[in-house]
Amino acid sequence: MEIDAELIYDGSVAGCNGQIDDVTSTIAGPNAAPYAGTVVVEDGDGNVSSTVNFTIAVCATDGITP
């Protein structure tokens, strides 16, 4: 049994395109400012997580690879 398959993700990032709807999701947007996002996760039994708030920072463009 794969636990991730039983989870339902629902979230977004303001000012960006894409939806957080899986354990790994793609969000695209301009690299102009920090962007606020939220996500909640629900399991197959109807239990819902607290809302998780996060911020995507502006990306560095100096060519340094982490």
Side-chain angles (χ1 to χ4, degrees), residues 2-65:
E2 188 171 325
I3 294 173
D4 285 344
E6 299 173 13
L7 300 177
I8 300 167
Y9 296 81
D10 184 24
S12 61
V13 179
C16 296
N17 296 321
Q19 189 71 15
I20 300 171
D21 57 5
D22 205 344
V23 66
T24 302
S25 298
T26 299
I27 303 296
N31 190 29
Y35 295 94
T38 60
V39 68
V40 296
V41 181
E42 182 177 344
D43 67 15
D45 295 327
N47 299 304
V48 180
S49 73
S50 299
T51 300
V52 176
N53 297 296
F54 60 92
T55 301
I56 298 176
V58 174
C59 297
T61 58
D62 56 10
I64 297 173
T65 303

